[in-house]
């Protein structure tokens, strides 16, 4: 049980944020999954492990990873 609990805790969205990842939402609450979800001037909230940053998209640039 303890091992399963630890695995579940490690995958918690809040725990992932504390490892340096972020989640981006548009002002209407929609999660931004792609650059096609936003355009110049779109207001977003960047959710981090210790708070939220409100920002505005200045530009988008597609990259291939």
């Amino acid at each position: 049980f303890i091992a399963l609990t630890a695995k579940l805790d490690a995958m918690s969205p809040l725990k992932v944020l504390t490892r340096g990842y972020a989640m981006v939402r548009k002002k209407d609450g929609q999660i931004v999954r792609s650059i096609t979800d936003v355009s110049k001037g779109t207001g977003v909230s960047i959710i981090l492990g210790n708070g939220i940053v409100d920002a505005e998209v200045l530009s988008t640039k597609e990259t291939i990873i």
Side-chain angles (χ1 to χ4, degrees):
F1 176 76
I2 293 172
L4 291 174
T5 303
K7 286 182 181 181
L8 183 60
D9 183 54
M11 296 306 296
S12 161
L14 296 176
K15 190 71 144 189
V16 172
L17 294 177
T18 64
R19 292 197 302 260
Y21 290 90
M23 179 172 57
V24 180
R25 290 185 182 263
K26 295 189 335 184
K27 295 300 180 183
D28 65 4
Q30 177 187 357
I31 295 175
V32 177
R33 292 182 173 88
S34 169
I35 64 168
T36 60
D37 293 340
V38 295
S39 59
K40 184 177 179 178
T42 302
V44 296
S45 293
I46 306 166
I47 298 97
L48 304 166
N50 65 345
I52 298 172
V53 176
D54 290 321
E56 184 176 306
V57 175
L58 299 178
S59 66
T60 60
K61 191 181 310 180
E62 187 172 1
T63 60
I64 299 173
I65 298 174

